Amino acid sequence: MLAIIINPKSGKRYFRSQRVYLFKLLRSRHQPFTYRVTKYANHALELARELVEKGYDQILVLGGDGTVSEVINGIMRADIPEEQRRKIRFGLMPRGTGNDWARFWGLTKDFKRSLELFFNGKDEPVDVGCVAYWRNGIRHNRYFINSVGFGLDPLTCKYAVKLKPYIGSHHVNYLFGLFAALAKMKPIPMQVVCDGEEVSRNPMFTMNIGNGPYSGGGIRQNPDADPRDGIFHSIVVEKPTLRQIMRALGRIYNGKLTDLDFVHGFTGCKVEINTKQYLCFEADGILMDIMGPCEVYCLHHALQMTVPQYC
C-alpha cells in the first residue's frame, strides 16, 4: 500500500502544480494511495509512524532532507517486527533546500523524473544511522540518513536558520552560516572512540559522521561515504589554526578535506563520544541537544530505497 507524505513548505512555489500532477498520474495508473500533509515540526515523524503501523509499506516523500529524516525516524520508531521494517520501501521527490540525500542518488527537482524513478526504479537496501543518548536516565534514539555532526556542524545549522529570512531558502545559507559559526566556535573537551579504538582525546572543533557523502547543500566532508556499505566514513578536527581553517574552506565542496594533515579521517560501525559537557549535534540538519556521552551506530540495510537503475 502506498502512502504519500507532503511537506508544503519545501519548494512551496511549485507545490500545487506538482501535487496536481502526482495525483493525476496515480489515478491514471489506477494506483490506490493515501496522503498526508505536514503541519508542524516533526509532524512527518508522527505521520510516518502511524502509516507504517497501519500496514503501509511504500512511502513517497515530497520534501527535503529534513522531511526525509523525520520520515525515517517515524519508520524506525514504529511498533512493527524488524523483518517487516526491512521491507518498507521509500522514495523521494526532492523539494527542499539542500537535497543532499537526493544528490547522492542523482535525483533532481525534476519532479516528473523523480516520480518515474519511483515507479520504475530498483529497490536498494540502505543503511540508517542512530545516535543513542541519555536524558534524565532515559535512553533516546535519533535516527539519520545523511550524516550527524558535532561542534562546528550544528552551530552552522543554527546560524543558517537565523539567516534564512535574509538570504532566502537555498544552500548559500549554509555557507554564510559556516562563516558565522567559525567566528563563534570553541573546541569541546571529549574523547572519540571508533569500534573500540581511540580516535581523539583532545578538545574537538568539529566532527562529521557520514552515512552519505553530502551535507549542508553539497558540502563533501566524507566523499567516500556510501549508505549501502554498512560503515560510517567520518572526520574529526581538533583545534585548527586560522591558516588551517582557510586551507580547509577551499576544499569543502571538492571532497579533498581529508587530504589535509590536520583533518583526521576514520571509518567504523560504532562511534562513542565521551564528554561530561552539554553537547549540541545536528542529524540531517535537525538540531538536537544532550548532556554527557552518546553512541552513534550504523543499522545495516535497515530499509529499502527506490533508486535509479544505474545506481
Side-chain angles (χ1 to χ4, degrees):
M1 295 193 296
L2 171 64
I4 303 165
I5 295 178
I6 304 170
N7 181 355
K9 292 184 178 180
S10 293
K12 56 186 176 182
R13 182 179 177 184
Y14 303 104
F15 170 65
R16 187 178 181 279
S17 61
Q18 290 175 352
R19 187 169 68 169
V20 169
Y21 178 86
L22 170 61
F23 290 173
K24 184 177 180 181
L25 176 65
L26 290 170
R27 289 176 182 127
S28 70
R29 294 174 58 92
H30 305 289
Q31 170 72 58
F33 70 94
T34 189
Y35 76 94
R36 301 287 188 273
V37 179
T38 62
K39 298 179 180 178
Y40 47 83
N42 280 320
H43 194 196
L45 186 158
E46 298 169 8
L47 293 174
R49 180 173 181 170
E50 173 192 345
L51 290 164
V52 167
E53 289 178 349
K54 286 183 177 179
Y56 288 90
D57 56 359
Q58 298 180 66
I59 307 291
L60 175 61
V61 182
L62 276 66
D65 292 323
T67 311
V68 173
S69 189
E70 287 188 17
V71 168
I72 295 302
N73 273 270
I75 295 172
M76 298 305 295
R77 298 181 192 190
D79 186 15
I80 58 173
E82 191 62 33
E83 182 179 347
Q84 179 183 342
R85 191 189 330 274
R86 290 180 180 273
K87 294 179 181 178
I88 292 175
R89 170 179 176 246
F90 78 97
L92 174 63
M93 192 168 128
R95 303 183 68 246
T97 302
N99 293 320
D100 290 307
W101 179 248
R103 194 186 307 271
F104 175 80
W105 303 104
L107 299 175
T108 68
K109 289 188 178 182
D110 181 345
F111 64 94
K112 294 182 180 180
R113 178 175 177 271
S114 296
L115 291 175
E116 180 184 344
L117 291 172
F118 179 72
F119 292 112
N120 300 311
K122 65 176 182 178
D123 292 342
E124 187 84 13
V126 294
D127 306 333
V128 172
C130 179
V131 184
Y133 59 99
W134 289 261
R135 183 177 288 145
N136 298 324
I138 301 173
R139 174 175 167 143
H140 299 269
N141 292 328
R142 183 72 195 190
Y143 299 94
F144 62 94
I145 199 76
N146 269 318
S147 67
V148 60
F150 299 84
L152 188 66
D153 278 16
L155 196 57
T156 298
C157 289
K158 179 180 177 180
Y159 282 112
V161 171
K162 288 185 176 182
L163 291 168
K164 190 173 181 178
Y166 307 101
I167 301 176
S169 181
H170 46 74
H171 70 275
V172 177
N173 281 346
Y174 293 104
L175 189 58
F176 280 91
L178 174 60
F179 292 141
L182 285 169
K184 294 287 186 179
M185 182 61 202
K186 295 181 180 179
I188 304 167
M190 67 168 56
Q191 178 198 39
V192 180
V193 177
C194 182
D195 290 348
E197 295 187 11
E198 186 177 74
V199 174
S200 172
R201 65 180 302 109
N202 296 319
M204 182 271 301
F205 185 78
T206 190
M207 179 169 64
N208 184 274
I209 300 170
N211 186 45
Y214 296 103
S215 62
I219 292 174
R220 298 174 64 195
Q221 297 186 77
N222 297 292
D224 296 324
D226 189 319
R228 298 166 291 191
D229 61 9
I231 61 171
F232 294 131
H233 291 253
S234 311
I235 60 166
V236 62
V237 178
E238 295 169 357
K239 190 175 181 179
T241 65
L242 178 60
R243 183 176 180 181
Q244 289 174 329
I245 290 173
M246 297 307 295
R247 288 173 61 200
L249 285 175
R251 298 169 181 254
I252 59 175
Y253 289 105
N254 64 15
K256 295 183 178 181
L257 270 177
T258 51
D259 292 346
L260 300 172
D261 55 5
F262 61 92
V263 178
H264 308 295
F266 60 98
T267 60
C269 304
K270 180 180 178 182
V271 181
E272 300 169 67
I273 300 166
N274 299 311
T275 180
K276 296 181 179 180
Q277 293 194 3
Y278 160 84
L279 190 62
C280 182
F281 70 90
E282 60 85 13
D284 296 330
I286 299 174
L287 291 170
M288 310 289 294
D289 61 352
I290 58 175
M291 180 66 76
C294 66
E295 297 176 353
V296 185
Y297 55 93
C298 181
L299 300 169
H300 188 41
H301 290 175
L303 299 172
Q304 301 284 327
M305 166 82 178
T306 304
V307 303
Q309 291 286 349
Y310 54 78
C311 286

